[in-house]
Amino acid sequence: MTFATPWALLWLLAVPAVVVLHLFRRRLVERRVAASFLFPPERLVTTAGRTRTRLLRTPSLWLECLAAAMLALWLAGPSFGGASARHVVFVLDDSASMGAGAAKKAIAAVAARAGSLASCDRVTILRTGPRPATMLGPGDVPSAVPGALAAWRPAQPSHDSAPTLDLARELAAGGGEVVFCTDHAPTVAATDVTVLAFGSPAPNCAILTARRVPHTAGEDLVVRIGATGAVGGNELTVDLGDGVASAREAVVFEEGIADVTLRLPPGTGTVHLRLAGDALSIDDEAWLVPVPERVVAVCDLLSADARAALQVGRVFAATERVRFVGDPRDAQLVLAATPGTLRPGQLEVLIDPGAGERDAWRGPFVVDRSNGLFAGVQLQGVVWASGRGQLPGAVLVAAGKKALATEDAVDVGRRVRLDLDASVGNVVRSPDWPVLWANVVEACRAEVPGVEDPNTLVGGEVRYLRTLVAGKGDREVALETPDGERITGRGVRTVGFVPARTGVHRVVGDGGVELARVGVRFLDPAESDLRGLASGEWPAAPPSATADAATRDMDVERRVLAALLLLFVLLDWWVLDRARPAVAVPGRVR
Amino acid sequence: MAEPRDLAAEVAATAPRYRLAVRGPRFRGRIGGRRGHGVGSSMEFVDFRDYVPGDDLRQVDWRGYARTNQLRIRLTQEEVAPHVDVLLDTSASMASTGGKERAVRLLALAMLRWAQREGAVARVLALGAAAVDPAVEPFAGTATEPALPAVPLRANGIRVLLTDGLWAGDPTPLLRRVATGAAFVVFVQVLDPWEIEPAAEGALTIVDVETGARHEVQLDVATAAACRERVARLCDGLRATVLAGGGVHVRTSAADLATMCSRDLLPGSVLEPA
């Protein structure tokens, strides 16, 4: 059996109090008698003021003791587990500004409130955000609250709390209570939500911009720092990683903004920026992971004659970040004369004019410029020699009714067909030829497995492109936070993760093998501005009669106890009334 | 306390239907309707004696003179109206309840009325005090031992003792002294119905009206039965003492006068139909 208000069990002291009252101040019916010696002496108790006398075990005593016990139990709110009791839904503001001291106070307040609940009560903890997140519950036991709050680190950018509060209201429907812990005063009065604000205004500095700008001699580190409130200056520490000395830069703000530019030596790894401590620490740090090169793997399955005619070597020699591989499964770009098995994200270029006679086309050519492969391709003065076969797929380049280049619609990857006889005509010698292949390579570069952007923001998305090739170690991909927690992403080929913490995250594959690193920092000037924080408590309006009635309907134990209490009181009244003489007796008092 | 006018009206309505059923052998008193102690002028023959000068010639037994030629006088029973002394217990216990107090006053007034109808000289004497008016006499005595009235009782009279008999002390000496010199003693014990049949009322604070002592008692079934038994035993003792002295004992439960007369006094041979 559990109690909603265990302290109310102290009311059980009313039972000995009733006994004491019966001992010292019994309210018995008084009857004048002609001779008291008619009563058996052993049944008489002499009363003398308020001195203690022998306790008379009257039905009234027992009934009053039982009534007092029932009252204490009723106040304590016992539960045998069958009936639901209070349901308190705590909504924690997960915005980063809560990290400026308000989070600790909120944790303490929630823990205190949960501690006052009975074990039969139910607690749900929600965390605000773009999407409401459940930290505990729904309907968990109050004892689980401290564990659920232990790892809470508010780090969300500013967001609307309304969806989370709406969810909380739904969860608390039927007599529940919603408690919203934040650091701002409520802008709109919510009569059904108790708002607890723990914020306090404070000046703050934040890293607004941090990026690595490459140039020929290496990289530049460009940092912009903003300040709100009375902040005169700060110190920026730049940690260039193991073996490289840290740099410190004094920051002086002008109109709340300070720009810092540093030269990074070549080969610099992850850069860690941090400001001197202030009210909010989450916006004082930034991590910049070097952007990995995305090298396109090309598999050339053309014959030597065709390769030579197409001048493949010349074209790709002029293209950066390209490598040739022998296994088409490892390539993002496959050059072939006949169709092969396409891999996810793979671009297969089939160059085959077919057998038979050739036609030479001088134009005019119709080019589908909406397709990125032919962006910038003019085909001016080009003589395109092609076979007389028909190409399947969507037309990319046509001369009259003749489709010269098409793109097949396939489930995975892309297949581009070129009806081109390179030995005839001047396509491969035109300026459009390397442009076309540059477009192809860049289109394939987007399909290179790995992290799309290694530096992102809290609340942003980390996108990792998998190979979907067995044995490549990326069958199971997860994002590992600096705390070691692994976040499971969504998606098949491109797996997306939404980091909620700052720091250097690791993208790990099968067996925990690191696939990439991601630097996550916080950026939200609105959250970094702590001048508008407030504290206070805005209690919810008293529950309506309907909700109150619903609660009572669920409280079976209390109803039973109330009935018993009423029964005992009525019985006591009846017993006392029955003890009255039927005829009025002079001098009789109660 | 009941109004004397109400009491008198109730007595006037009920008393004419009854008369005192006194059975004393020889009373003293004024000329009346009851057999007296000595020789009188009634019609009831007692004896003969020789004539002496001065005797009333109307009493001469002329028939015997004719046979024996001797003058003899016929003696007849004296008829008197007996003295009636109503001894009223004025202790506070007699007014422990309103019903009991009213019943006692009614009985005392009725006794006076019945005595006066017999032509008797009646008076109400308080135990341990003098003559009182039963209609207004307060019941406030606190004496635990009964005592005779402060004025002498008249010899060979009827003595009616109106009391509840609830004395802490032994009443036997009083009863003997009341019976001494009395022609007929009537002991009317008036009790409240609750005193005769106490009910199990639960916890009570009882207040002794005479001593003022307060006690708490769990008046359950067992205690009520014990009380009934003690009252019954007390009444039996009084009855035995009264009967041993030749008197009549009647215990009546306080009620209206008609009820007490028909239910208790008439069956108890204290009254007889008028």
Side-chain angles (χ1 to χ4, degrees), chain B residues 109-134:
Chain B
L109 291 172
M111 290 293 175
L112 279 180
R113 187 177 182 91
W114 287 322
Q116 289 166 356
R117 205 172 63 178
E118 295 288 338
V121 176
R123 56 182 182 174
V124 177
L125 303 174
L127 289 181
V132 296
D133 181 359

Side-chain angles (χ1 to χ4, degrees), chain A residues 50-72:
Chain A
R50 291 175 182 269
T51 58
R52 187 176 70 84
T53 56
R54 187 172 69 87
L55 180 65
L56 294 177
R57 290 182 288 276
T58 63
S60 177
L61 169 66
W62 296 119
L63 290 172
E64 288 170 11
C65 288
L66 286 172
M70 292 301 109
L71 177 62

Side-chain angles (χ1 to χ4, degrees), chain A residues 115-420:
Chain A
S116 66
L117 299 176
S119 59
C120 64
D121 293 335
R122 290 295 173 260
V123 174
T124 299
I125 301 180
L126 301 180
R127 194 178 60 193
T128 64
R131 285 184 176 181
T134 303
M135 297 174 63
L136 181 67
D140 213 323
V141 294
S143 59
V145 168
L149 295 176
W152 180 49
R153 303 284 186 275
Q156 294 275 0
S158 58
H159 53 269
D160 188 5
S161 302
T164 313
L165 290 175
D166 290 340
L167 174 61
R169 289 187 181 96
E170 292 180 10
L171 293 174
E177 178 185 356
V178 178
V179 179
F180 180 35
C181 299
T182 182
D183 55 0
H184 285 80
T187 55
V188 179
T191 57
D192 56 345
V193 176
T194 298
V195 179
L196 304 177
F198 304 100
S200 56
N204 187 40
C205 297
I207 298 176
L208 301 180
T209 302
R211 54 195 174 92
R212 301 167 70 139
V213 180
H215 54 82
T216 55
E219 292 177 294
D220 282 343
L221 177 64
V222 178
V223 182
R224 168 164 285 192
I225 303 170
T228 55
V231 179
N234 204 321
E235 184 181 66
L236 175 66
T237 302
V238 182
D239 188 355
L240 301 180
D242 297 338
V244 181
S246 299
R248 294 177 183 270
E249 288 288 331
V251 179
V252 178
F253 297 102
E254 293 182 4
E255 297 182 353
I257 296 294
D259 292 319
V260 176
T261 302
L262 295 175
R263 177 64 57 87
L264 297 179
T268 301
T270 301
V271 177
H272 181 201
L273 309 174
R274 63 178 183 274
L275 292 170
D278 54 14
L280 186 61
S281 61
I282 191 172
D283 56 3
D284 292 339
E285 291 186 282
W287 293 263
L288 294 176
V289 176
V291 179
E293 287 192 339
R294 304 177 68 83
V295 179
V296 178
V298 181
C299 179
D300 184 4
L301 301 179
L302 297 170
S303 63
D305 294 340
R307 186 180 304 119
L310 292 170
Q311 300 182 12
V312 172
R314 183 177 66 88
V315 169
F316 286 101
T319 308
E320 292 182 339
R321 292 176 288 171
V322 173
R323 62 187 175 94
F324 285 91
V325 297
D327 190 347
R329 294 181 305 173
D330 298 336
Q332 286 82 48
L333 176 60
V334 177
L335 305 179
T338 57
T341 302
L342 278 177
R343 305 294 175 184
Q346 203 171 55
L347 177 59
E348 184 182 56
V349 180
L350 299 178
I351 306 172
D352 181 20
E357 296 183 4
R358 301 288 188 262
D359 291 329
W361 302 91
R362 295 188 57 186
F365 298 101
V366 178
V367 180
D368 183 4
R369 299 190 188 281
S370 65
N371 194 304
L373 297 179
F374 285 88
V377 175
Q378 301 298 324
L379 299 180
Q380 292 290 336
V382 168
V383 177
W384 188 305
S386 67
R388 293 185 172 178
Q390 295 295 324
L391 295 180
V395 177
L396 297 178
V397 179
K401 294 183 179 179
K402 172 61 177 176
L404 302 176
T406 62
E407 182 175 7
D408 261 352
V410 291
D411 294 337
V412 293
R414 304 167 70 181
R415 176 172 290 145
V416 175
R417 299 173 186 268
L418 296 179
D419 188 354
L420 175 65

Side-chain angles (χ1 to χ4, degrees), chain A residues 26 28-41 43-47 53 56 58-59 579 581 585-586, chain B residues 93 96 98 100 166-168 194-195 201 203-209 214-220 223 226-227 230-231:
Chain A
R26 281 163 289 187
L28 301 180
V29 174
E30 195 169 281
R31 176 183 279 277
R32 300 173 71 228
V33 297
S36 57
F37 61 81
L38 294 178
F39 293 85
R43 305 293 293 179
L44 295 179
V45 180
T46 301
T47 57
T53 56
L56 294 177
T58 63
V585 179
Chain B
S93 65
S96 62
K100 183 177 179 182
L166 301 179
W167 296 301
W194 188 84
E195 293 168 350
E201 299 177 356
L204 291 175
T205 296
I206 58 173
V207 181
D208 193 312
V209 295
R214 301 169 64 88
H215 303 278
E216 289 180 355
V217 61
Q218 176 62 31
L219 191 56
D220 51 14
T223 306
C227 290
R230 291 168 76 90
V231 170

Side-chain angles (χ1 to χ4, degrees), chain B:
Chain B
M1 188 175 71
E3 288 292 328
R5 188 178 303 171
D6 298 337
L7 299 174
E10 186 171 352
V11 171
T14 305
R17 300 201 295 264
Y18 303 96
R19 57 178 295 192
L20 285 174
V22 291
R23 297 182 298 277
R26 285 177 288 272
F27 300 105
R28 290 185 188 276
R30 297 185 301 181
I31 296 174
R34 299 290 182 178
R35 190 173 60 179
H37 182 268
V39 176
S41 57
S42 67
M43 298 297 291
E44 188 174 356
F45 172 77
V46 176
D47 202 354
F48 294 100
R49 69 169 172 82
D50 292 339
Y51 172 79
V52 292
D55 284 343
D56 188 357
L57 293 178
R58 289 175 297 179
Q59 305 298 329
V60 175
D61 182 13
W62 295 110
R63 290 182 181 178
Y65 176 74
R67 290 192 303 268
T68 62
N69 203 26
Q70 290 183 353
L71 287 174
R72 298 179 66 86
I73 299 297
R74 293 173 58 90
L75 299 179
T76 58
Q77 182 67 50
E78 179 190 27
E79 288 188 338
V80 299
H83 300 291
V84 176
D85 288 334
V86 179
L87 309 182
L88 180 60
D89 183 359
T90 56
S91 63
S93 65
M94 298 296 285
S96 62
T97 68
K100 183 177 179 182
E101 178 185 359
R102 179 182 175 87
V104 171
R105 293 186 191 279
L106 285 171
L107 286 174
L109 291 172
M111 290 293 175
L112 279 180
R113 187 177 182 91
W114 287 322
Q116 289 166 356
R117 205 172 63 178
E118 295 288 338
V121 176
R123 56 182 182 174
V124 177
L125 303 174
L127 289 181
V132 296
D133 181 359
V136 297
E137 175 65 18
F139 295 96
T142 57
T144 57
E145 294 288 341
L148 284 176
V151 296
L153 302 179
R154 289 175 293 204
N156 294 102
I158 297 175
R159 294 173 185 172
V160 179
L161 181 55
L162 273 176
T163 179
D164 57 4
L166 301 179
W167 296 301
D170 184 8
T172 304
L174 171 72
L175 297 179
R176 286 178 179 168
R177 292 172 64 185
V178 169
T180 301
F184 186 57
V185 175
V186 176
F187 190 101
V188 179
Q189 187 177 9
V190 184
L191 293 173
D192 188 80
W194 188 84
E195 293 168 350
I196 299 173
E197 287 289 336
E201 299 177 356
L204 291 175
T205 296
I206 58 173
V207 181
D208 193 312
V209 295
E210 293 186 357
T211 65
R214 301 169 64 88
H215 303 278
E216 289 180 355
V217 61
Q218 176 62 31
L219 191 56
D220 51 14
V221 175
T223 306
C227 290
R228 281 196 298 272
E229 183 183 355
R230 291 168 76 90
V231 170
R233 196 161 55 237
L234 176 70
C235 293
D236 291 344
L238 287 172
R239 182 182 184 85
T241 304
V242 172
L243 293 180
V248 173
H249 173 273
V250 171
R251 188 185 74 179
T252 184
S253 175
D256 59 275
L257 183 60
T259 302
M260 289 189 291
C261 290
S262 61
R263 184 189 61 196
D264 300 319
L265 301 183
L266 189 62
S269 300
V270 174
L271 299 178
E272 57 188 12

